[in-house]
Amino acid sequence: MTAADIAAAVRSGERSALEVVNEHLGMIEAQDLKVHAFNLVNAENARAEAAQIDARVAAGEPVGPLAGVPLATKDNLCTKDLPTTCSSKMLENYHPPYDATVVSLLRAAGAVSLGKTNLDEFAMGSSTEHSAFGPTRNPHDLSRVPGGSSGGSAASVAAGFTPIAVGSDTGGSIRQPAAFCGVVGMKPTYGAVSRYGLIAFASSLDQVGPLASNVADAAAVFDVIAGHDRRDTTSIQGFIPAAQAALNLGVDGLRVGVLQELSGGGGSVPGLAVDVLARTREAAEVLAAAGARVEEVSVPSCTLGLSAYYIVAPAEASSNLARYDGVRYGARVDAPTASEMTTATRTAGFGAEVKRRIMLGTYALSAGYYEAFYGKALKVRTMMLNDFARVYKDFDVLLTPTAPTTAFELGTRMTDPLTMYVNDVCTIPSNLTGHPAISVPFGLGDDNLPVGVQVLAPATHDTQTFRVAAVLEAAAQEARL
Amino acid sequence: MSPPTEPKLPAGWDLVVGLEVHVELDTATKLFCGCINRFGAEPNTNVCPTCLGLPGSLPVINERAVELAMILGRALGCQVNRSVMARKNYFYPDMPKDFQTTQYDQPTNSDGQLVLPDGFVVGIERAHIEEDTGKSVHVGRSGRINQAVYSLIDYNRAGVPLVEIVSKPDIRTIDQARNFVDELRAILVVTGVSDARMEEGSLRIDANVSVRPEGLAELRTRCEIKNINSLRSLGRAIAYEANRQIDLYEDGSAPQQQTRHWDENTSRTTPGRSKEDADDYRYFQEPDLVPLVPSPATIAAIDETMPQLPVARRAALVAATGADSVAARILVERAQDALALEAVAAGAEPNKVLKRLVNDLAVDDWSNLDATALAELIKMESAGALSASQAKQVLADLVESGGTPQTYVKRRGFEVVDTSELKSLLEQLVGDNPSEWKRFCAGDQVERKKMQGFFTGQIMKATRGKADGKMVAELLNNAALVG
């Protein structure tokens, strides 16, 4: 059942929210030992919230657009009085005193969070293997990774544990796992969704977004969570989401650019798998057949994105993660002096990938290296913004693969961070520019695993990404029939 | 208030000082959250996820703090710029995020100046906005963090808005350094930017000190002196440090650039971190905040509503009352200059107004006292209708409860018996006590004094103490001369 079906059934009284929640909790209980999508299943709270919704329905009171819809919440979004761990030993027993804005908005809309989903520690990774609590597995093939860092949220949707989920996307952390798990995942325009209560990885890149089994449900979640929040200074004033309204507009007359550097065209980045490229080309053909004007387009600075990202994101992370010092909350390893205590705490509390990025970022910001690294990365960012602005004069949206390959096997990239980082090559540009992008499942790879294609749009044109994704989704479903 | 003895530098050396002054802004709430900005509350009661740096929290800038910073900037003649907040990264337990949100290469205010009361001009490099840290108390042994048995941290101060004013190295004497802080403090108070109380830590000073052979223009290696808690310490710390550096040069050595701590007990500066192990703060733009872009209209509005600054207020007071510079400084600092001006304009004798206010109005709250009442009081005093001590008492009454001086003069029975009344009273007393009068007129020094006491006592008794003692003495002496 889709989220829309559940909400309609709950609203009409045809099904009780409690029944829906219990059914999904049952699935989790039966199957999550294998998948490990969840760090925490919060059955008691979920049942209580579902019962409240049922009471409102029974009393004829209004319920939200997501009434009774089971939701999975990435474990880096703060939930009041419930553990919020970032899949790190550092925050293993941390209970925030407040809810993230996104968590509050979803609850107000009637969604019922069943629990907190696994992620790469502090959202740093592309496979959910960098979790202090063990990896999540891809429900399509348990020997494969679900992608990351929102691997738990993507796996929850793919396994049918919850029809919808929320994740965070700093360099592709919603879209890449969505592609690997065969679900829809969307990164909104930077500032479209409040970051208040999202535990920061890289503040200028982080954005909360929806994952869902279908485009309409993702749009419904987006419409709930997007909008200005006065507690987040970087949130866009006056932003009013209207993704659902655009789902049936089609793409007739839309100008679509196939971004050649990320799609195997001239000057393309290496390492893009043949099957993934083939699906991307087929997607372009589908859009052309539906009336879009499709052309190849070049954004040369795209190829610099990966390098710039792996300077900017670790630099911000090195600062954002400094607060985990053992003084106020979270893990503490005692030692004779305050600075030794902080060192011991951080040594024990952080995993290898987090430490690697803190060191990279610290180095990139250091006196004498700032200009060569961080300063240059900022210039690349500006260059990319200019390049995309130029391209968007002639195009409404751009098309690329979401990830270079389908889901890879667990353990195959853990020893080589660079090949792991290359996973983000197609998704990173949207984070560096702050633009919206969606990944929508489009066929299978040679290994019969899902392939995702990505639709990019200029800032605040989030609706366009849903609109194009809806057309691709319909074509993919038709092809499967 | 006499200044402490000015320590002297050896001949042949010039002093070069730049000051960094941290000032807590007088806002209702903190810089990035809605917590109350107040000194002296129970530890860790004015805190929230944002000022505790809890995971997922975000800063939202306090617009009033930005406004106050710009007001100070304009009062110092600064250019007010488009500015950005930056992160200064270093670990310290009382800093919740382990970075301080401050401004780095794009400060709100730059390129201003502060004119000292004697006309000497000190350049202002910048005046930027930043957040305060929490407050640590290290318990045990030296009181420093690494020898502490345990430490207590109060985060009430964390996130309190500060402006750091950085002077150019234009200061050449210890007096100038003290006058700089004094004048800055006056400006802060007059503009309402800060209460600038050193004793509560809402104004804190670091001094960059170097020396050079007299007449040279070069800037030599400087040391930054921290932990200066009063104006007195400022002078002593600069003097100690300058002499220390001069000794090094004269021994053929040279000072190293370093941070040094002023120790009030030993009256010495001791080294903190030296340059080699100095922190690398890894500044970068704060991604959680957007640039502060003041509109020309905002700046124009600040200029239009800028209150009259201390230098102009002192000048006005001096011009209208003939006040000396000390009185002018005190009354402007206490914001009693307007009261003095109004009282004088209402016809009160300037000298007496100044004296009464300077000596007898060092109180926190004098809102009950209005200028008309003050002028009346001073006029009564000038006319001899009230003695100095009576005027003091009535002034205290006015401060306490307001109203007019006549009310209290009556209530306290201060109506003065006039001269003609006294004269007839004296005539009657002389008639009633002829032998005593004789002893007064013809007696020796001792006898005369004794009898003066007798007659004064009788007059005071008859007037129930309302007679002016001075006037009585005068009358007695005049009458004795006549016989």
Side-chain angles (χ1 to χ4, degrees):
Chain A
M1 259 181 124
T2 66
D5 294 337
I6 291 171
V10 168
R11 208 174 298 123
S12 69
E14 185 189 318
R15 294 198 66 187
S16 81
L18 186 57
E19 180 189 326
V20 171
V21 162
N22 277 330
E23 182 187 303
H24 286 83
L25 286 171
M27 279 192 271
I28 294 170
E29 201 179 339
Q31 294 165 47
D32 199 40
L33 275 178
K34 289 179 290 178
V35 177
H36 188 215
F38 284 89
N39 283 342
L40 170 91
V41 177
N42 183 30
E44 205 176 309
N45 271 27
R47 288 192 183 106
E49 282 181 26
Q52 274 175 26
I53 290 166
D54 289 332
R56 292 181 72 86
V57 171
E61 289 170 28
V63 288
L66 298 174
V69 177
L71 162 76
T73 308
K74 190 176 181 178
D75 203 10
N76 62 350
L77 285 161
C78 287
T79 43
K80 189 177 180 183
D81 300 330
L82 282 180
T84 300
T85 71
C86 285
S87 289
S88 177
K89 279 191 268 179
M90 189 64 90
L91 292 178
E92 194 166 359
N93 296 307
Y94 177 65
H95 294 217
Y98 70 101
D99 278 325
T101 297
V102 166
V103 168
S104 306
L105 288 171
L106 284 164
R107 185 184 298 118
V112 179
S113 180
L114 304 191
K116 307 296 289 286
T117 56
N118 199 11
L119 62 149
D120 288 294
E121 185 178 2
F122 282 101
M124 297 177 188
S126 310
S127 68
T128 316
E129 292 168 287
H130 297 294
S131 163
F133 311 133
T136 299
R137 289 168 185 271
N138 192 320
H140 291 271
D141 176 348
L142 294 174
S143 72
R144 308 275 175 151
V145 302
S149 65
S150 309
S153 286
S156 176
V157 175
F161 297 159
T162 58
I164 57 172
V166 278
S168 66
D169 189 315
T170 307
S173 279
I174 290 173
R175 292 161 287 159
Q176 184 256 19
F180 279 16
C181 291
V183 303
V184 177
M186 193 265 177
K187 183 203 85 80
T189 297
Y190 185 79
V193 177
S194 170
R195 291 185 295 117
Y196 188 76
L198 168 67
I199 298 184
F201 161 16
S203 313
S204 77
L205 304 165
D206 295 342
Q207 196 53 198
V208 180
L211 296 102
S213 62
N214 62 82
V215 175
D217 285 353
V221 174
F222 175 79
D223 284 352
V224 166
I225 63 176
H228 179 67
D229 178 7
R230 61 179 177 78
R231 286 179 297 188
D232 176 359
T233 305
T234 63
S235 90
I236 303 165
Q237 301 220 10
F239 186 89
I240 295 165
Q244 292 173 97
L247 292 175
N248 298 318
L249 292 180
V251 292
D252 193 19
L254 210 67
R255 301 164 303 170
V256 178
V258 178
L259 212 169
Q260 64 185 47
E261 283 84 0
L262 299 177
S263 304
S268 185
V269 296
L272 302 174
V274 175
D275 51 354
V276 169
L277 289 175
R279 295 300 92 75
T280 308
R281 297 285 151 182
E282 287 158 22
E285 284 160 25
V286 163
L287 295 177
R293 198 197 75 199
V294 181
E295 282 173 44
E296 288 257 320
V297 62
S298 169
V299 182
S301 55
C302 256
T303 58
L304 303 172
L306 197 64
S307 311
Y309 175 85
Y310 276 96
I311 299 290
V312 173
E316 292 183 12
S318 72
S319 174
N320 282 330
L321 272 64
R323 69 190 63 192
Y324 308 111
D325 56 10
V327 174
R328 290 160 297 274
Y329 50 80
R332 174 188 287 186
V333 177
D334 275 319
T337 69
S339 65
E340 284 164 353
M341 181 278 286
T342 292
T343 302
T345 298
R346 291 167 71 79
T347 302
F350 288 139
E353 182 60 25
V354 170
K355 285 176 187 162
R356 178 168 18 246
R357 296 202 195 193
I358 289 173
M359 284 190 281
L360 280 173
T362 302
Y363 187 80
L365 287 172
S366 297
Y369 298 99
Y370 180 97
E371 273 312 315
F373 293 105
Y374 193 71
K376 196 163 264 181
L378 293 185
K379 283 182 189 136
V380 169
R381 244 180 132 166
T382 305
M383 199 195 289
M384 287 178 72
L385 271 169
N386 293 337
D387 281 3
F388 274 102
R390 185 174 44 75
V391 166
Y392 282 129
K393 280 183 193 158
D394 300 320
F395 293 91
D396 299 305
V397 295
L398 301 175
L399 192 69
T400 76
T402 305
T405 64
T406 55
F408 48 87
E409 291 192 6
L410 261 81
T412 53
R413 307 215 174 163
M414 286 295 277
T415 51
D416 184 359
L418 284 183
T419 35
M420 187 73 98
Y421 294 173
V422 169
N423 258 289
D424 305 330
V425 69
C426 301
T427 44
I428 273 170
S430 306
N431 298 90
L432 288 171
T433 56
H435 294 169
I438 199 167
S439 176
V440 58
F442 196 81
L444 300 174
D446 297 343
D447 48 10
N448 268 334
L449 287 168
V451 169
V453 296
Q454 186 182 214
V455 180
L456 282 59
T460 72
H461 290 227
D462 303 62
T463 294
Q464 293 282 42
T465 67
F466 287 102
R467 175 184 171 188
V468 176
V471 171
L472 293 172
E473 178 184 60
Q477 275 164 0
E478 203 173 308
R480 217 181 299 159
L481 288 175
Chain B
M1 190 171 53
S2 69
T5 337
E6 175 87 344
K8 284 269 179 294
L9 292 193
W13 290 92
D14 277 347
L15 177 67
V16 178
V17 174
L19 295 178
E20 295 174 14
V21 183
H22 286 86
V23 170
E24 286 182 357
L25 300 178
D26 203 355
T27 54
T29 56
K30 292 186 182 181
L31 186 54
F32 298 124
C33 62
C35 289
I36 293 167
N37 169 18
R38 194 175 53 214
F39 178 81
E42 273 291 295
N44 298 309
T45 50
N46 293 328
V47 292
C48 73
T50 293
C51 60
L52 285 176
L54 295 189
S57 64
L58 291 173
V60 176
I61 201 151
N62 180 339
E63 284 173 17
R64 177 65 180 156
V66 177
E67 188 188 10
L68 288 176
M70 293 192 295
I71 289 171
L72 176 62
R74 294 305 290 168
L76 294 173
C78 289
Q79 196 179 302
V80 176
N81 311 299
R82 174 193 189 271
S83 56
V84 300
M85 303 307 295
R87 292 186 183 181
K88 179 182 184 180
N89 295 285
Y90 63 101
F91 285 92
Y92 204 81
D94 64 21
M95 197 166 55
K97 297 168 290 182
D98 287 297
F99 61 78
Q100 181 190 27
T101 307
T102 177
Q103 295 181 326
Y104 183 49
D105 52 357
Q106 296 174 69
T108 294
N109 305 300
S110 61
D111 301 311
Q113 58 177 42
L114 182 66
V115 183
L116 303 187
D118 64 2
F120 186 82
V121 177
V122 179
I124 300 293
E125 184 93 37
R126 55 192 278 149
H128 68 256
I129 303 168
E130 63 185 26
E131 62 179 336
D132 211 341
T133 62
K135 210 171 170 159
S136 306
V137 179
H138 304 299
V139 182
R141 285 176 233 168
S142 71
R144 290 174 89 153
I145 184 167
N146 277 336
Q147 283 96 48
V149 176
Y150 62 92
S151 299
L152 299 171
I153 311 177
D154 177 7
Y155 291 104
N156 283 348
R157 203 181 68 178
V160 162
L162 298 176
V163 165
E164 179 177 348
I165 301 110
V166 181
S167 89
K168 295 202 165 109
D170 292 345
I171 294 166
R172 294 288 171 271
T173 69
I174 287 165
D175 265 346
Q176 286 173 357
R178 279 195 293 246
N179 289 341
F180 178 92
V181 175
D182 248 344
E183 187 63 13
L184 178 62
R185 203 159 55 171
I187 291 171
L188 290 164
V189 171
V190 160
T191 51
V193 168
S194 173
D195 59 14
R197 291 186 178 141
M198 282 186 92
E199 66 281 10
E200 290 184 4
S202 65
L203 185 148
R204 309 195 282 271
I205 311 165
D206 301 334
N208 287 302
V209 178
S210 67
V211 295
R212 64 187 174 201
E214 203 173 271
L216 290 191
E218 67 186 24
L219 288 176
R220 293 199 165 184
T221 305
R222 66 190 151 84
C223 290
E224 184 181 359
I225 316 301
K226 291 192 176 283
N227 197 36
I228 297 169
N229 297 322
S230 66
L231 278 186
R232 184 164 173 270
S233 308
L234 175 67
R236 294 171 69 215
I238 292 173
Y240 174 85
E241 179 60 19
N243 279 301
R244 189 189 70 86
Q245 294 182 15
I246 291 167
D247 287 349
L248 285 170
Y249 284 122
E250 288 183 341
D251 289 349
S253 168
Q256 282 183 303
Q257 184 170 336
Q258 58 187 187
T259 300
R260 298 181 66 88
H261 281 260
W262 171 248
D263 186 332
E264 194 68 52
N265 298 322
T266 61
S267 301
R268 293 157 58 98
T269 65
T270 55
R273 291 183 301 262
S274 67
K275 204 187 177 188
E276 304 89 83
D277 53 13
D279 281 312
D280 175 357
Y281 294 122
R282 294 175 284 118
Y283 285 99
F284 71 103
Q285 188 171 331
E286 167 58 271
D288 287 330
L289 291 166
V290 296
L292 305 170
V293 190
S295 69
T298 305
I299 297 169
I302 285 172
D303 287 346
E304 271 164 37
T305 55
M306 182 70 73
Q308 199 179 22
L309 294 176
V311 60
R313 283 171 59 167
R314 288 192 300 261
L317 190 63
V318 169
T321 67
D324 63 24
S325 64
V326 174
R329 207 179 73 193
I330 289 173
L331 294 188
V332 169
E333 204 173 285
R334 290 193 207 146
Q336 292 169 347
D337 51 331
L339 191 64
L341 288 171
E342 280 178 59
V344 169
E349 190 185 329
N351 261 338
K352 284 213 161 59
V353 170
L354 294 169
K355 198 173 155 196
R356 240 352 112 232
L357 295 190
V358 169
N359 294 339
D360 304 319
L361 207 55
V363 293
D364 286 334
D365 181 9
W366 35 272
S367 55
N368 286 331
L369 175 67
D370 68 50
T372 319
L374 175 65
E376 283 303 307
L377 176 70
I378 301 299
K379 281 187 214 167
M380 289 166 89
E381 191 188 348
S382 297
L386 284 178
S387 68
S389 70
Q390 287 171 337
K392 240 185 236 190
Q393 286 183 59
V394 173
L395 181 66
D397 292 335
L398 289 169
V399 168
E400 174 77 25
S401 314
T404 62
Q406 285 79 3
T407 320
Y408 303 105
V409 167
K410 198 169 215 174
R411 191 174 301 163
R412 288 181 175 275
F414 288 164
E415 295 112 322
V416 168
V417 184
D418 70 22
T419 321
S420 60
E421 211 175 315
L422 279 180
K423 266 185 185 162
S424 59
L425 188 59
L426 182 61
E427 268 164 38
Q428 196 191 324
L429 279 170
V430 170
D432 290 351
N433 305 282
S435 67
E436 282 82 359
W437 183 245
K438 205 172 218 171
R439 283 161 67 190
F440 175 69
C441 293
D444 62 12
Q445 195 81 10
V446 180
E447 192 70 2
R448 204 179 150 83
K449 192 146 190 195
K450 208 167 145 192
M451 286 306 109
Q452 181 171 350
F454 168 77
F455 282 106
T456 307
Q458 292 295 315
I459 290 172
M460 288 300 174
K461 199 173 160 191
T463 61
R464 294 200 318 273
K466 286 182 213 164
D468 181 349
K470 232 161 100 184
M471 206 184 291
V472 172
E474 213 168 288
L475 270 178
L476 279 170
N477 287 320
N478 289 343
L481 285 176
V482 177

